[in-house]
Amino acid sequence: MSAVIRGTGSSLPESKLTNADLERMLDTSDEWIVVRTGIRERCVLEADQATSDMATRAAQQALDMAGATPDDVDLIVVATISPDMLTPSTANLVQRNLRIGRPIPSFDLNAAFSGFIYGLEVVNTLLASGSYRRALLIGAETLTRFVDYQDRQVCVLFGDGAGAVLLEVEEGEGDVLATTLKADPGSSDLIRIPGGAAARPASPYTLTQREQFLRMEERQLFKLAVQALEQVAQDTLDKVGWRIEDVDHLIVHQANRRILNAVADRLGVPSEKVPTNLARTGNISAASIPVLLDECQRAARFRPGDRIIAVAFGSGLTWAGCALRWSLDVPPFA
Ligand code: ACO
């Protein structure tokens, strides 16, 4: 028994923060941002909404693609580092928004930018156990609420969005052929939000120090990200027994155009096999991979039988890879 992907969905806010907008807010330039990162704009969630609202819309799209209803769902997992609140979980709120009548389990998973691939392993294992039939796995983030618009190194990078897949258990091999999950907390200081939780509860002091915002050591992360993403792709290929030439699509967590290019070059994958939406989305953390999967599916870029390697890297430090055999049909009229 293992899981197949029956539907995908995504939700990106309509409101955009462009590089030109940032030029008016900060000492930065469109040229600096595009050359260093490849990002041109990011989506910003409306002020009266939160992560669970985008997550619900992405989930509903995945259900619609699968021809399923909320009552068909037995399990909800949301990968996020920007939940609506510390508790209840964002997954609980999605369950409420979808008006699921039964008390199915729902919970959040925090593995930062690698959260969607960690979630795939968790959901695949739970479905294979036979206890659940269908699960929603969602990556959803509202990072524009956790970046400091006085910190030009960090704020240009991040945006908001959500992506979802509906997985169903089936006899046989399934779509998730291998996963590789890694963490090295020895470098946990390199990306963090220091204040606002149990270690440093919000106080006038933490707010003055702007501890509620994301901090990053970008130069070190850049090098570590390239090495880790290449290695985890290779480890995942070895597990599944594919050569890199066998892979139809390499999906790399959308953090930085130069990181994407470096990973693809080191692995020897041509750019036409490396989809990207980074220029429009910025880094959307755990939402990055499921949003890109959904966009590729809806654009008929994926075909049934395609071999996909997806890799991610982020705070923790965490990194992860998965090998997927895509089985969803091409959308009608594509
Ligand atoms: N606009 C203008 N200038 C900026 C900005 C900005 N938004 N942010 C930083 N700078 C300045 C710095 O203050 C520094 O100025 P200084 O030299 O006067 O001190 C300079 O730009 C540093 O940038 P570079 O000249 O490119 O330095 P370097 O070649 O060492 O590169 C780095 C550093 C971190 C690789 C940077 O260029 C870069 O690519 N930034 C984007 C970081 C990124 O995408 N990180 C992703 C991390 S991995 C992950 O998220 C999974």
Side-chain angles (χ1 to χ4, degrees):
M1 303 276 273
S2 51
V4 292
I5 295 172
R6 293 288 190 221
T8 64
S10 60
S11 173
L12 293 172
E14 280 178 17
S15 172
K16 311 285 181 217
L17 182 68
T18 65
N19 291 352
D21 296 329
L22 287 166
E23 280 178 347
R24 287 188 284 275
M25 295 160 59
L26 296 155
D27 179 16
T28 190
S29 68
D30 175 58
E31 190 199 355
W32 193 98
I33 301 169
V34 171
V35 167
R36 300 305 196 293
T37 72
I39 299 167
R40 295 182 182 277
E41 61 185 25
R42 12 11 241 128
C43 305
V44 180
L45 188 59
E46 293 74 19
D48 62 346
Q49 301 216 345
T51 305
S52 64
D53 297 301
M54 283 183 297
T56 305
R57 286 193 288 271
Q60 189 59 61
Q61 278 195 2
L63 288 167
D64 291 346
M65 186 186 284
T69 71
D71 283 331
D72 294 323
V73 176
D74 304 312
L75 169 71
I76 302 175
V77 178
V78 175
T80 186
I81 55 167
S82 46
D84 287 24
M85 50 192 114
L86 281 176
T87 193
S89 73
T90 304
N92 295 156
L93 300 174
V94 171
Q95 183 177 351
R96 179 196 65 189
N97 294 348
L98 289 173
R99 299 176 196 281
I100 295 175
R102 292 169 298 129
I104 61 163
S106 58
F107 58 92
D108 287 1
L109 181 155
N110 179 339
F113 308 172
S114 314
F116 182 78
I117 299 178
Y118 270 63
L120 263 185
E121 162 106 20
V122 169
V123 168
N124 197 34
T125 305
L126 286 171
L127 290 177
S129 76
S131 300
Y132 311 98
R133 187 164 166 72
R134 293 186 198 86
L136 277 168
L137 172 61
I138 307 165
E141 304 280 14
T142 314
L143 288 171
T144 58
R145 309 250 167 101
F146 294 90
V147 296
D148 184 351
Y149 286 97
Q150 295 180 13
D151 179 352
R152 65 178 182 171
Q153 288 197 54
V154 174
C155 73
V156 302
L157 301 175
F158 291 96
D160 303 333
V165 292
L166 179 74
L167 295 128
E168 185 174 17
V169 73
E170 208 179 66
E171 295 273 338
E173 193 176 51
D175 291 2
V176 186
L177 303 185
T179 48
T180 312
L181 310 184
K182 304 274 185 186
D184 174 12
S187 302
S188 56
D189 280 355
L190 297 183
I191 319 182
R192 64 202 168 103
I193 299 174
R200 297 182 67 77
S203 69
Y205 179 77
T206 63
L207 293 175
T208 313
Q209 297 301 308
R210 309 182 79 73
E211 290 188 10
Q212 71 275 31
F213 295 125
L214 194 63
R215 295 180 183 176
M216 295 172 69
E217 302 299 329
E218 293 190 353
R219 197 167 283 136
Q220 284 163 274
L221 286 168
F222 198 97
K223 288 185 192 147
L224 289 171
V226 173
Q227 287 162 4
L229 289 165
E230 180 197 4
Q231 188 59 52
V232 84
Q234 198 56 62
D235 291 348
T236 308
L237 286 167
D238 292 346
K239 270 190 191 172
V240 77
W242 295 345
R243 293 167 307 155
I244 193 68
E245 309 85 86
D246 302 330
V247 171
D248 298 295
H249 313 278
L250 174 67
I251 306 279
V252 183
H253 167 66
Q254 305 283 294
N256 179 304
R257 182 81 216 177
R258 289 189 299 165
I259 294 176
L260 288 183
N261 292 346
V263 173
D265 285 352
R266 282 168 171 234
L267 290 166
V269 180
S271 59
E272 59 271 20
K273 287 187 175 182
V274 189
T276 178
N277 57 9
L278 177 68
R280 289 182 281 116
T281 62
N283 184 342
I284 46 175
S285 177
S288 172
I289 288 177
V291 167
L292 194 49
L293 291 177
D294 181 55
E295 290 184 352
C296 288
Q297 170 61 19
R298 286 175 196 273
R301 189 159 177 174
F302 293 163
R303 306 266 150 183
D306 278 1
R307 297 174 181 207
I308 299 171
I309 291 283
V311 289
F313 171 90
S315 54
L317 297 176
T318 59
W319 61 105
C322 66
L324 302 175
R325 172 87 73 173
W326 202 251
S327 64
L328 269 177
D329 273 340
V330 176
F333 317 116

